Amino acid sequence: MNASAAQAASDYKVAITEQNRGQVLLFDRTAQFTDANVRWSFSTGNAPGWSHPFEIRFRDTQRYGAIALMTFGKPGEGRAGIVNITSKSHLTRADLIWSARITSYPHSIERVPHAGTVVVAGSRDRLHVFAPSSSDPASLKEVQTLTFTKAHAVLWDEQNGLLWVTGGTLIRTYRVNGTLRAARLQKHGPDITIAGNGHDIQPDYARPGTLLVTDSHRVYSVDKATRAVTVVAKMPYVKSYVRHAGGQAMWTADPDINDSVWAGSTVHFSAGGNRTRPGAQIYKARLYTTRFH
């Protein structure tokens, strides 16, 4: 890789869910993860149900342009929320376009573009399906609830028209049938079994046609066409894992499974240059992109 290609491969932005202070923060990959270098933020104030951000991802909409989808909370009291990220740099709950109370400990959220549907994975065994009455995400209402053991992660696959979900020892796919308030999830295809408890699903931007799935001790590559699963890394208590189009992998992990915190202070990169935010509890790190794959 030449110098310009290497620079392009590392020239991107990283969003983190920081659970200690109840913040979602965006940084340049090459910057130190300090307050002075925050490019965008969402702060919860750690209000009931809004503490402990678990998920952040960015998607495009016709009405608002780019939006951020997020989940927060503790067992029995959580929230899912959407904000318009183009309005200003530092947002709070007052800037929410939409939010919903989720009591099943929400860990992940995804938007299905053609249907306008939003799906929330509650790790207390639920998938929550929200559907709008119009193109406005503010009109979302829950229309379906499905049982899914330890549901932790959801990801829309626009290449195959499938919603991928992992939780417990399963990876499962669903079709999204219908649009607006008539949208419903229907299981599609055979389940995939993994060894541990599934935690995350992300695209492998460097390898089109594959997904990256984590469980308690492994990172898997999943071929979307054949559903073949390959272990690509073994690491303890990995929480999120993604690979940039330039080939660099990024992940977060829980460094001490025996404490009451489910996150660490460091975002790791396969090319080196890890970023640590002292005192932070970083559950997930996401590439700043609205691309599904």
Side-chain angles (χ1 to χ4, degrees):
M1 182 183 293
N2 60 37
S4 60
Q7 182 177 3
S10 62
D11 186 17
Y12 55 89
K13 294 179 178 62
V14 174
I16 62 171
T17 55
E18 204 285 273
Q19 298 194 339
N20 184 34
R21 296 171 63 183
Q23 295 177 313
V24 178
L25 303 169
L26 183 70
F27 298 97
D28 289 326
R29 159 67 182 98
T30 54
Q32 297 299 319
F33 286 6
T34 62
D35 288 349
N37 291 328
V38 173
R39 298 291 300 273
W40 178 90
S41 68
F42 179 87
S43 299
T44 68
N46 276 329
W50 290 98
S51 61
H52 295 87
F54 279 96
E55 179 67 279
I56 173 65
R57 62 184 56 179
F58 305 94
R59 296 294 183 240
D60 282 322
T61 65
Q62 290 184 348
R63 185 179 183 93
Y64 295 101
I67 60 172
L69 299 95
M70 301 169 287
T71 58
F72 309 84
K74 296 181 178 181
E77 192 61 50
R79 298 289 188 276
I82 297 175
V83 294
N84 177 4
I85 65 171
T86 60
S87 58
K88 55 186 179 181
S89 297
H90 301 290
L91 286 77
T92 68
R93 289 180 288 120
D95 298 296
L96 288 160
I97 298 168
W98 168 84
S99 67
R101 184 186 182 203
I102 310 287
T103 60
S104 62
Y105 205 11
H107 272 56
S108 186
I109 182 172
E110 179 61 290
R111 182 175 185 270
V112 180
H114 73 275
T117 305
V118 167
V119 181
V120 177
S123 66
R124 294 298 190 262
D125 303 341
R126 293 288 185 270
L127 292 178
H128 304 269
V129 183
F130 295 86
S133 60
S134 69
S135 62
D136 189 349
S139 67
L140 288 163
K141 293 184 69 174
E142 190 164 5
V143 296
Q144 185 183 20
T145 305
L146 299 174
T147 300
F148 195 111
T149 301
K150 298 182 180 179
H152 267 68
V154 289
L155 179 72
W156 177 245
D157 171 8
E158 89 288 3
Q159 296 171 331
N160 297 292
L162 293 173
L163 185 77
W164 293 76
V165 183
T166 191
T169 58
L170 293 180
I171 304 170
R172 179 174 293 168
T173 54
Y174 294 88
R175 292 285 189 202
V176 181
N177 299 320
T179 60
L180 301 177
R181 290 279 167 81
R184 298 292 187 273
L185 268 58
Q186 183 176 10
K187 184 179 179 297
H188 178 84
D191 288 343
I192 301 168
T193 302
I194 55 178
N197 288 319
H199 271 84
D200 196 24
I201 302 179
Q202 281 288 280
D204 187 336
Y205 291 99
R207 298 180 62 198
T210 62
L211 302 174
L212 293 163
V213 176
T214 70
D215 71 10
S216 302
H217 297 280
R218 303 163 192 82
V219 180
Y220 303 91
S221 178
V222 180
D223 187 298
K224 292 193 290 184
T226 67
R227 300 185 179 237
V229 177
T230 305
V231 176
V232 297
K234 292 184 178 182
M235 55 183 68
Y237 313 117
V238 57
K239 297 301 182 181
S240 67
Y241 190 100
V242 67
R243 188 163 16 230
H244 184 266
Q248 184 174 187
M250 175 178 73
W251 67 92
T252 60
D254 180 3
D256 185 359
I257 196 63
N258 294 314
D259 65 15
S260 60
V261 176
W262 305 107
S265 61
T266 300
V267 179
H268 304 268
F269 297 91
S270 60
N274 296 344
R275 291 292 181 260
T276 296
R277 185 169 169 84
Q281 299 167 8
I282 303 170
Y283 189 77
K284 287 177 181 171
R286 297 295 194 217
L287 300 179
Y288 178 68
T289 179
T290 59
R291 290 174 50 202
F292 289 99
H293 296 91

